[in-house]
Amino acid sequence: MIGLKRHIVELADHDPGWGRLGVEACQLVKDACSNLIADVQHVGSTAVPGLPAKPVLDLAAAVTALDIMPRLSEKLSAIGYVYEGDCGDAGGRLFVLYSEPDIRIIHLHVVELGGAQWKDYLRLREILRQDFKVRKRYAGLKLNLCRRFPNNRGAYTSAKHAFIREILDSDLDPEIPTHPPTPPLPG
C-alpha cells in the first residue's frame, strides 16, 4: 500500500487508506514524542484525496525550539525513524521510516511551530484539498514530471518547486483547521 525505493519516482492513484495510515502514523509520533512536539500532521500529496502521489506518507511535526533535536532524534529512533539530516528550507529536519532497506514509507519533516515551513505545509495541503482546479493542475504536473524523471526524485521534487511557490504566493485563502482534519472527499 505504501513504500517506494529511494530515488525512484512512481505515482499511484490516491488510495483512501492513506488517510487512515496518516492518522495512525501521526498518533505513533505523538505518543512517542508528545512532550517534545507541539503538533504533527499528515501533509503532502497522500493527504489530498483525488491527487496521485508517490506512495510515501509525508508528516510534518512542529516543535517550539530546535534545541530539542537530540532528544527528539532519540525518541524517533526508538520507533524506527532514521535521521537523514537537515534539509533546510527544502523540508526541515528529515526523519525516514523504512519498511526494509532502501524502501521508504514515511518522511517526517520536523519544523518550527508557526514558522514558514509549518504554515506552508498546512496551507498547501488545504489549497489542494479545497480547490479542484489547482489540484487538477498539480496532478498533471506531477504525472508529466514522473515521466521525465523516473529515476531522479531530486529533479522531480525541484521541478515542482515553482508551481508550489506560485500556489503558496497566490491570494488563495484556504480554511486551515486548528486540529488535524479528516480528509474531505475529492471533487
Side-chain angles (χ1 to χ4, degrees):
M1 181 180 257
I2 60 169
L4 190 60
K5 188 171 182 169
R6 185 182 179 118
H7 303 298
I8 300 299
V9 180
E10 291 177 2
L11 297 178
D13 289 335
H14 183 82
D15 183 330
W18 289 340
R20 178 185 48 78
L21 291 173
V23 169
E24 291 170 1
C26 287
Q27 191 60 53
L28 286 172
V29 170
K30 285 179 190 175
D31 290 346
C33 308
S34 62
N35 61 328
L36 298 174
I37 58 172
D39 195 3
V40 60
Q41 294 202 27
H42 182 197
V43 297
S45 295
T46 57
V48 180
L51 185 62
K54 295 184 314 295
V56 177
L57 300 180
D58 279 293
L59 308 180
V63 297
T64 56
L66 293 172
D67 63 351
I68 56 92
M69 289 306 297
R71 288 183 293 148
L72 183 63
S73 185
E74 192 175 294
K75 290 188 179 267
L76 289 170
S77 177
I79 59 170
Y81 282 86
V82 176
Y83 182 58
E84 298 284 333
D86 185 354
C87 300
D89 291 340
R93 270 76 171 176
L94 178 64
F95 291 83
V96 176
L97 186 64
Y98 293 89
S99 62
E100 57 186 85
D102 224 25
I103 304 295
R104 293 170 171 224
I105 58 174
I106 299 176
H107 292 157
L108 174 63
H109 306 272
V110 177
V111 298
E112 290 188 82
L113 179 67
Q117 288 180 307
W118 176 250
K119 291 175 183 176
D120 286 351
Y121 278 128
L122 300 182
R123 187 162 186 268
L124 180 64
R125 178 192 64 196
E126 293 310 315
I127 288 171
L128 291 170
R129 284 180 171 178
Q130 297 171 28
D131 192 311
F132 175 77
K133 289 178 183 177
V134 173
R135 186 169 59 246
K136 186 174 178 178
R137 283 181 52 214
Y138 190 44
L141 173 65
K142 289 168 56 107
L143 291 167
N144 178 288
L145 294 175
C146 180
R147 287 188 291 271
R148 285 181 52 202
F149 304 111
N151 299 306
N152 189 339
R153 196 175 299 174
Y156 167 85
T157 301
S158 293
K160 295 186 308 179
H161 181 77
F163 177 85
I164 291 170
R165 194 74 259 155
E166 172 192 332
I167 298 310
L168 290 171
D169 291 343
S170 74
D171 60 358
L172 295 170
D173 190 22
E175 181 179 330
I176 309 251
T178 56
H179 55 81
T182 302
L185 296 174

